[in-house]
């Protein structure tokens, strides 16, 4: 099993060119599945798994109390693993064929209201008057102004910022790049921290490349004052960007391109967010609501 998993990891890393964190998540899921197969059916190779064993594994996941979204991610990983095995002629039929995802309740993305974001970004006392404080404010503002992902911000280099065109080049999932516009004021502030084109745009206090846990801590620290949020993460700011754009009249297709979504269906969840806001206003304002 170990050799199969190593080969699958190489496939994800070098052929599919997935990010480090994505590959890590895939391998953790496959290793958990492999452990289950070994303990339940004494299998020495994942090639020998059958549909019944895969279904038993899914039932165990459901019984463990995991959220449907987590179970579905693991199911997707196993489907992808056996699809790779088929592609490499290692098996004749996938034991995960026909395996369906669990139905999950619709969960609207959390976002920070526009007035709250204004309070956070326009409050000088919110950020320590040091180089680190200026950096932290700029990180939060760039998240909110562009909707980029955490990994996309970390991977930005000084060469990705085009001050003359007022854009940044974002390196998204699957090695896809997109151009995202930035404001004049953002250009001015970014120009003050830019160095050589190949250098990371944002650095730690020690001058090294930022890392996910640090970026999360920075965002969480300043968003936790918004008491209505269950989550205060960089992704919350991505949701806040998309919701603000939609509420202010931006076409859904344009938001899709800015976010780097592959399909419009991934962007349409924000229309539900807007509907919920409208519904709340209607109930408060209409005399017969």
């Amino acid at each position: 099993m170990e050799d199969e998993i190593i080969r699958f990891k190489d496939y994800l890393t070098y052929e599919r060119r997935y990010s480090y964190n994505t590959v890590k998540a895939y391998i953790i899921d496959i290793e958990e599945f492999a452990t289950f197969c070994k303990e339940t059916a004494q299998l020495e190779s994942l090639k020998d798994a059958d549909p019944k064993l895969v279904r038993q594994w899914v039932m165990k996941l459901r019984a463990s109390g995991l959220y449907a979204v987590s179970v579905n991610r693991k199911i997707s990983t196993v489907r992808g693993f056996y699809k790779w095995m088929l592609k490499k002629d290692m098996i004749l039929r996938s034991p995960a064929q026909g395996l369906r995802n669990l139905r999950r309740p619709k969960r609207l993305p959390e976002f920070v209201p526009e007035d709250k974001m204004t309070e956070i970004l326009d409050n000088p006392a919110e950020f320590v008057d040091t180089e680190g404080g200026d950096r932290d404010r700029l990180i939060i503002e760039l998240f909110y102004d562009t909707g980029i992902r955490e990994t996309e911000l970390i991977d930005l280099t000084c060469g990705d910022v085009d001050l003359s065109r007022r854009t940044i080049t974002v390196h998204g999932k699957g090695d896809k790049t997109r151009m995202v516009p930035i404001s004049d004021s953002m250009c001015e502030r970014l120009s003050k921290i830019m160095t050589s084109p190949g250098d990371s745009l944002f650095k730690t206090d020690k001058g090294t490349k930022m890392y996910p846990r640090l970026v999360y801590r920075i965002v969480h620290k300043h968003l936790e004052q918004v008491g209505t949020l269950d989550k205060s993460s960089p992704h919350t700011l991505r949701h806040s960007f998309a919701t603000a754009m939609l509420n202010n009249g931006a076409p859904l297709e344009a938001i899709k391109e800015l976010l780097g979504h592959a399909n419009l269906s991934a962007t349409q969840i924000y229309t539900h967010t807007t509907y919920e806001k409208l519904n709340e206003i209607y109930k408060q304002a209409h005399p017969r609501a």
Side-chain angles (χ1 to χ4, degrees):
M1 288 187 183
E2 184 177 348
D3 180 62
E4 296 165 349
I5 295 173
I6 291 173
R7 291 178 61 189
F8 183 56
K9 181 179 180 180
D10 289 343
Y11 163 74
L12 297 175
T13 303
Y14 302 113
E15 291 190 41
R16 298 304 302 271
R17 302 180 68 84
Y18 286 162
S19 70
Y20 170 81
N21 288 333
T22 300
V23 173
K24 182 179 178 181
Y26 268 72
I27 297 306
I28 288 174
D29 289 342
I30 284 296
E31 287 177 342
E32 289 178 359
F33 175 64
T35 299
F36 171 83
C37 291
K38 193 165 187 177
E39 292 177 350
T40 305
Q42 291 75 52
L43 296 188
E44 294 299 327
S45 171
L46 292 176
K47 293 186 291 186
D48 299 327
D50 58 26
K52 181 180 178 181
L53 185 62
V54 175
R55 287 195 298 271
Q56 287 177 336
W57 170 69
V58 173
M59 290 173 62
K60 181 182 178 183
L61 292 176
R62 294 183 64 179
S64 69
L66 283 175
Y67 287 117
V69 65
S70 298
V71 175
N72 289 342
R73 191 201 71 226
K74 294 176 184 295
I75 290 173
S76 177
T77 297
V78 169
R79 274 200 301 253
F81 176 78
Y82 283 113
K83 185 177 179 180
W84 165 74
M85 278 196 156
L86 279 171
K87 182 180 179 180
K88 299 298 182 181
D89 295 323
M90 298 168 69
I91 54 174
L92 297 176
R93 184 177 183 277
S94 169
Q97 184 175 336
L99 193 62
R100 296 182 178 181
N101 285 352
L102 304 186
R103 294 187 64 179
R104 55 177 180 170
K106 288 185 178 179
R107 186 176 180 181
L108 298 178
E110 284 196 287
F111 64 94
V112 182
E114 294 174 50
D115 58 337
K116 289 292 185 182
M117 282 304 308
T118 300
E119 285 180 20
I120 292 171
L121 292 172
D122 291 351
N123 181 8
E126 179 67 24
F127 299 91
V128 180
D129 189 19
T130 62
E131 183 179 350
D134 290 339
R135 176 204 62 194
D136 296 354
R137 183 187 185 280
L138 192 52
I139 284 173
I140 292 173
E141 190 172 8
L142 190 63
F143 273 132
Y144 184 59
D145 283 5
T146 62
I148 60 176
R149 301 177 178 93
E150 179 186 78
T151 53
E152 292 171 345
L153 179 135
I154 290 172
D155 289 340
L156 283 175
T157 66
C158 296
D160 291 325
V161 181
D162 190 331
L163 297 175
S164 61
R165 298 177 63 184
R166 297 189 298 280
T167 61
I168 56 173
T169 300
V170 180
H171 305 278
K173 293 182 176 180
D175 272 352
K176 294 181 180 177
T177 61
R178 65 186 188 278
M179 305 291 288
V180 178
I182 53 177
S183 65
D184 290 341
S185 61
M186 178 60 71
C187 283
E188 182 180 351
R189 298 182 65 195
L190 288 178
S191 67
K192 295 177 181 178
I193 66 169
M194 290 171 61
T195 52
S196 299
D199 290 349
S200 295
L201 184 61
F202 293 104
K203 301 182 181 69
T204 68
D205 293 338
K206 295 181 179 179
T208 58
K209 184 177 179 179
M210 299 288 284
Y211 51 93
R213 187 176 293 276
L214 176 57
V215 175
Y216 174 85
R217 285 203 304 263
I218 290 169
V219 173
H220 181 76
K221 174 184 176 182
H222 297 287
L223 293 193
E224 63 179 352
Q225 64 174 290
V226 183
T228 57
L229 295 175
D230 288 331
K231 293 183 178 180
S232 303
S233 68
H235 218 66
T236 305
L237 290 175
R238 181 169 163 85
H239 294 323
S240 303
F241 162 82
T243 303
M245 290 286 289
L246 191 62
N247 284 341
N248 285 282
L252 201 62
E253 183 66 35
I255 298 173
K256 166 186 171 291
E257 295 300 321
L258 289 169
L259 291 173
H261 283 161
N263 300 301
L264 193 61
S265 58
T267 317
Q268 286 173 331
I269 189 170
Y270 298 107
T271 62
H272 300 300
T273 303
T274 302
Y275 170 77
E276 289 295 315
K277 182 63 177 176
L278 290 174
N279 192 38
E280 180 183 333
I281 295 171
Y282 171 77
K283 287 180 178 180
Q284 291 175 352
H286 198 283
R288 296 176 62 86

